[in-house]
């Protein structure tokens, strides 16, 4: 049985969830799953059809041994709206228009420094979104929501970053309000819901849904300018009590290096892309950021390869504890340093320090979606939020259906 609304009966939003999840995709199956009468199921579905959220698909198999007409299947209409998504890193950004099933319809990437401050950066993203909608051939009115990934801890209740070590001037800023206004200013369309989350969280969510939907405990570690982890348990992002879960870059590892957060001895101070770039610069190799290290690794630069492998060993030492605690089925390494040298270092220390029981059924892999992972995750977050039963009911009422 599905969840019930006030009064004990399944709502239109509950039926939508059953169809979207594939648990019930015919009228008969919905009656069985909800206990509603045929007439009531029809009334609920009529609201969803009038909103444009459902469509009829091909006929399903005939279940009765006596034959008869096949049951008409019901499908979520993923063409009735689009989602906008953006992924901010410290020095560049990526944005896209996505379909409701996660397909990228138009995409843009370019330089964008978070140090320019939230007002300027979010205003610029509004302009990107306007251009991308035109490129995708979609109207601004087709947008149902916006998802944003940021390189810092986020309070999911407010959408505000909390003491982000790499985002000066962003602490407590009203990101959702500013981005909604920027979208309206640049497109003329009414404001839409904006959801904000940490980039590693959204990368993990996107990768897990796209490539490992059956994995009940999934961990992604992003190693770029900083280091962060996203954890997906039971299909949902685990954020902790106020969005601080996964901030492994600030675990103390006993080193004397000064971190960008102001403390000494953080993992990020010795094993992030920024830390490797600093070591390369000290060795006379021009490098300022994780993306510079990525380019040097792609070229096979020997110092970059050696430092990346050493950084991997540092991270692998910490991940031995993470794996022991969470017992994930997949540990994914992503970000600028996610190549063979770094991954080799991770595996060396991880398998050396973790108990065999913790790694017996563990796959250590690299990203499948690459630079698009956070975009896909941000889009999925918006869709799951807007079409969840409670939100769907509110939206249907607002549409007058």
């Amino acid at each position: 049985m599905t969840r019930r609304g006030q009064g004990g009966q399944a709502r239109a939003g509950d039926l939508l969830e059953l169809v979207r999840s594939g648990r019930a995709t015919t009228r008969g199956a919905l009656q069985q799953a909800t206990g509603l009468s045929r007439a009531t199921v029809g009334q609920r579905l009529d609201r969803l059809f009038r909103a444009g959220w459902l469509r009829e698909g091909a006929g399903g198999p005939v279940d009765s041994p006596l034959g008869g007409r096949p049951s008409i299947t019901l499908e979520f209409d993923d063409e009735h709206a689009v989602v906008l998504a953006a992924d901010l890193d410290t020095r560049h950004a990526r944005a896209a228009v996505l379909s409701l099933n996660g397909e990228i319809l138009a995409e843009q990437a370019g330089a964008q420094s978070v140090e320019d401050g939230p007002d300027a950066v979010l205003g610029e993203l509004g302009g990107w979104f306007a251009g991308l909608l035109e490129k995708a051939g979609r109207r601004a009115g087709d947008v149902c929501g916006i998802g944003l990934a940021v390189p810092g801890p986020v309070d999911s209740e407010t959408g505000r970053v909390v003491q982000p070590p790499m985002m000066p001037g962003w602490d407590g800023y009203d990101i959702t309000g500013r981005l909604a206004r920027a979208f309206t200013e640049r497109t003329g369309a009414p404001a839409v819901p904006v959801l904000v989350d940490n980039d590693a969280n959204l990368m993990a969510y996107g990768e897990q849904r796209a490539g490992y939907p059956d994995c009940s405990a999934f961990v992604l570690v992003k190693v770029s300018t900083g280091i962060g982890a996203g954890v997906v348990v039971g299909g949902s992002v685990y954020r902790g009590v106020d969005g601080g879960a996964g901030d492994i870059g600030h675990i103390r590892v006993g080193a004397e290096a000064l971190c960008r957060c102001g403390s000494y001895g953080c993992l990020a101070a010795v094993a992030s892309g920024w830390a490797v770039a600093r070591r390369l610069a000290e060795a006379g190799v021009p490098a300022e950021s994780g993306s510079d290290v990525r380019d040097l690794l792609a070229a096979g630069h020997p110092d970059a390869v050696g430092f990346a492998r050493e950084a991997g060993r540092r991270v692998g030492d910490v991940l031995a504890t993470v794996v022991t605690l969470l017992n994930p089925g997949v540990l994914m390494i992503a970000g600028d340093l996610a190549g063979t040298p770094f991954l080799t270092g991770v595996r060396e220390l991880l398998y050396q320090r973790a108990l065999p029981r913790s790694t017996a059924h563990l796959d250590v892999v690299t990203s499948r979606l690459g630079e698009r992972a956070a975009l896909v995750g941000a889009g999925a977050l918006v869709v799951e939020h807007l079409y969840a039963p409670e939100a769907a009911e509110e939206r249907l009422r607002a549409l007058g259906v």
Side-chain angles (χ1 to χ4, degrees), residues 18-374:
L18 287 169
V19 173
R20 289 187 62 237
S21 66
R23 297 198 301 267
T25 57
T26 65
R27 287 169 173 80
L30 288 169
Q31 285 178 245
Q32 217 170 18
T34 62
L36 296 176
S37 69
R38 181 177 179 179
T40 303
V41 165
Q43 292 168 358
R44 303 282 197 272
L45 291 178
D46 184 58
R47 297 179 68 199
L48 298 171
F49 281 118
R50 281 187 285 147
W53 296 358
L54 281 189
R55 63 188 174 203
E56 291 185 338
V62 178
D63 295 329
S64 171
L66 301 177
R69 290 183 300 176
S71 300
I72 299 298
T73 59
L74 302 168
E75 300 174 349
F76 179 60
D77 188 341
D78 55 22
E79 298 178 359
H80 74 269
V82 293
V83 174
L84 297 173
D87 176 20
L88 284 181
D89 209 332
T90 53
R91 300 179 66 189
H92 65 274
R94 185 173 295 268
V97 181
L98 296 93
S99 70
L100 298 182
N101 67 4
E103 178 188 358
I104 291 181
L105 306 176
E107 186 178 9
Q108 177 179 345
Q112 194 72 262
S113 174
V114 294
E115 293 186 357
D116 291 340
D119 187 65
V121 171
L122 298 174
E124 186 70 16
L125 283 181
W128 285 23
F129 286 150
L132 285 167
L133 285 167
E134 184 176 349
K135 184 178 177 182
R138 299 300 296 252
R139 298 178 300 108
D142 293 338
V143 177
C144 63
I146 300 172
L148 177 65
V150 296
V154 177
D155 182 338
S156 60
E157 293 296 319
T158 65
R160 301 179 185 229
V161 292
V162 182
Q163 299 177 357
M166 296 187 297
M167 301 177 71
W170 290 70
D171 185 23
Y173 184 85
D174 181 16
I175 295 175
T176 59
R178 177 66 181 104
L179 190 52
R181 290 195 304 275
F183 168 72
T184 296
E185 290 164 1
R186 296 303 186 100
T187 66
V192 295
V194 177
L195 298 181
V196 184
D197 207 339
N198 171 262
D199 53 0
N201 283 348
L202 292 178
M203 290 173 70
Y205 195 48
E207 295 276 10
Q208 188 270 338
R209 288 173 59 89
Y212 303 89
D214 298 326
C215 181
S216 61
F218 179 97
V219 176
L220 177 143
V221 178
K222 179 187 179 185
V223 187
S224 290
T225 300
I227 301 175
V231 180
V232 180
V233 177
S236 299
V237 176
Y238 178 74
R239 300 181 176 87
V241 296
D242 61 3
D247 201 5
I248 65 170
H250 300 287
I251 292 175
R252 304 296 172 83
V253 293
E256 295 300 319
L258 176 64
C259 182
R260 297 177 75 174
C261 73
S263 298
Y264 286 87
C266 295
L267 179 65
V270 294
S272 65
W274 168 73
V276 173
R278 185 188 60 210
R279 291 193 65 187
L280 286 166
E282 290 170 352
V285 181
E288 296 181 5
S289 66
S291 58
D292 293 335
V293 177
R294 179 190 60 205
D295 294 341
L296 289 167
L297 288 171
H301 191 285
D303 285 343
V305 168
F307 291 156
R309 182 166 179 171
E310 184 179 337
R313 288 171 58 86
R314 293 270 200 174
V315 173
D317 196 10
V318 170
L319 290 179
T321 300
V322 172
V323 165
T324 301
L325 178 65
L326 297 178
N327 189 212
V330 175
L331 172 61
M332 179 175 283
I333 307 299
D336 292 330
L337 267 61
T340 300
F342 186 87
L343 191 64
T344 300
V346 167
R347 284 176 166 151
E348 284 177 8
L349 262 289
L350 173 62
Y351 288 107
Q352 178 183 326
R353 298 292 171 82
L355 292 172
R357 172 70 182 82
S358 301
T359 57
H361 301 100
L362 176 68
D363 289 330
V364 183
V365 299
T366 53
S367 171
R368 290 187 175 190
L369 298 176
E371 294 181 331
R372 292 176 164 178

